[in-house]
Amino acid sequence: MLDNTRLRIAMQKSGRLSDESRELLSRCGIKINLQQQRLIAFAENMPIDILRVRDDDIPGLVMDGVVDLGIIGENVLEEEVLTRRAQGEDPQLSILRRLDFGGCRLSLAMPADSAYTGPECLDGKRIATSYPHLLKKYFDSQGLTFKSCLLNGSVEVAPRAGLSDAICDLVSTGATLEANGLREVDVIYRSKAVLIQRAGELEADKQALVNRLMTRIQGVIQARESKYIMMHAPSDKLEQVIDLLPGAERPTVLPLAGDQSRLALHMVSSETLFWETMEKLKALGASSILVLPIEKMME
Ligand code: ATP
Ligand code: MG
């Protein structure tokens, strides 16, 4: 029997979201042993249980209140919401945060040699997809119709196999499409991984834990997007150097032992320092320019 006082989080067992979901939880300080082929893993240092399942099952587990939180691609979440609405249900859940991984787009693609001037080219055509409701939402918004060919895998071979005129599938680099003689012609949905929570109030202890986790997730994501920048710069060029630095933060300025003509500058930046900017800084006389990753952050 599962302990109901422990926070339950569902994540993908193996696939494109699993490594980064696991990494995020681990960076938040949750110690889990995920080695075995087990469905449930228990955190050693916090009252948290991790359910490892097929990604398709995650929205339903959250909507049905079987788990408290889930990490899932927006594409799968939105498809499940639309599917349940089409069945007359009113699915409830809240999106706590968009995460910084799992980015992809749901796109229409056609055989590379066919002409495309807009979605109306596909009016009434047969389209193979694993996302029929997202596709229907898009076609409805354009006032167009299509015939659906539902495939849960190998969607990209459908046109060649004579099953469809076009496909609607997830793309990140486009290499799979190209390898199958297809051309991406329109993006209908852009997705990232999101953290979702079941509807209804959580017990006070669980809510407090979720709040702590949210602060940590914010810190992890912010740290990943930030850099620590250090350099030495001529004292009389300070303002020019600061004008070149990315972000709005003012740097900390420190004296250098035995050298009054130069200063050390330190700053945290939410943007990276591009090579071009580093070259300009060097031209102003800056030296020892370091750009370091940040591991953790709390504001
Ligand atoms: P499962 O066995 O858990 O059902 P799956 O095969 O359905 O896995 P994956 O291919 O692992 O799913 O993709 C999971 C999610 O990763 C996608 O729903 C999407 O949100 C995201 N993703 C990111 N990049 C891509 C990509 N290039 N192709 C497909 N999905 C991607
Ligand atoms: Mg799946």
Side-chain angles (χ1 to χ4, degrees), residues 250-267:
R250 304 285 294 179
T252 305
V253 177
L254 302 161
L256 288 179
D259 184 355
Q260 301 231 322
S261 67
R262 297 175 72 72
L263 294 162
L265 270 68
H266 288 201
M267 71 180 292

Side-chain angles (χ1 to χ4, degrees), residues 72-79 95 98-99 101-108 131 134 137-138 168-173 184-194:
I72 184 65
E74 288 169 311
N75 53 312
V76 174
L77 175 63
E78 181 69 5
E79 182 68 22
I95 296 179
R98 213 167 186 226
L99 302 170
F101 59 87
C104 59
R105 48 194 194 272
L106 186 62
S107 290
L108 288 168
Y131 298 92
L134 275 168
K137 190 175 172 184
Y138 177 74
C168 173
D169 203 9
L170 293 176
V171 184
S172 53
T173 62
E184 184 177 4
V185 292
D186 232 325
V187 177
I188 72 160
Y189 189 83
R190 288 186 193 275
S191 177
K192 277 202 163 178
V194 281

Side-chain angles (χ1 to χ4, degrees), residues 62-224:
V62 174
M63 289 170 194
D64 297 335
V66 179
V67 298
D68 303 302
L69 304 182
I71 299 174
I72 184 65
E74 288 169 311
N75 53 312
V76 174
L77 175 63
E78 181 69 5
E79 182 68 22
E80 182 66 20
V81 167
L82 295 173
T83 305
R84 289 196 176 205
R85 284 202 193 129
Q87 291 163 352
E89 287 178 44
D90 180 22
Q92 299 288 329
L93 60 91
S94 53
I95 296 179
L96 293 184
R97 198 186 203 292
R98 213 167 186 226
L99 302 170
D100 62 345
F101 59 87
C104 59
R105 48 194 194 272
L106 186 62
S107 290
L108 288 168
M110 292 177 78
D113 52 7
S114 41
Y116 183 81
T117 50
E120 58 284 353
C121 297
L122 291 169
D123 198 15
K125 293 276 167 52
R126 188 173 295 281
I127 306 178
T129 189
S130 314
Y131 298 92
H133 292 94
L134 275 168
L135 182 56
K136 181 170 185 315
K137 190 175 172 184
Y138 177 74
F139 268 67
D140 284 351
S141 75
Q142 304 289 315
L144 304 170
T145 61
F146 68 99
K147 296 191 208 82
S148 172
C149 166
L150 184 62
L151 291 178
N152 282 313
S154 308
V155 175
E156 64 282 354
V157 303
R160 229 181 336 144
L163 297 175
S164 71
D165 303 298
I167 68 164
C168 173
D169 203 9
L170 293 176
V171 184
S172 53
T173 62
T176 311
L177 292 182
E178 207 180 313
N180 285 281
L182 297 171
R183 180 166 66 97
E184 184 177 4
V185 292
D186 232 325
V187 177
I188 72 160
Y189 189 83
R190 288 186 193 275
S191 177
K192 277 202 163 178
V194 281
L195 179 70
I196 55 176
Q197 181 176 326
R198 71 170 165 83
E201 242 176 70
L202 295 180
E203 295 78 354
D205 287 354
K206 278 191 184 179
Q207 188 57 56
L209 184 54
V210 170
N211 296 347
R212 270 174 76 201
L213 270 184
M214 288 301 292
T215 309
R216 292 187 185 190
I217 289 174
Q218 172 66 17
V220 170
I221 293 179
Q222 212 178 347
R224 283 203 282 235

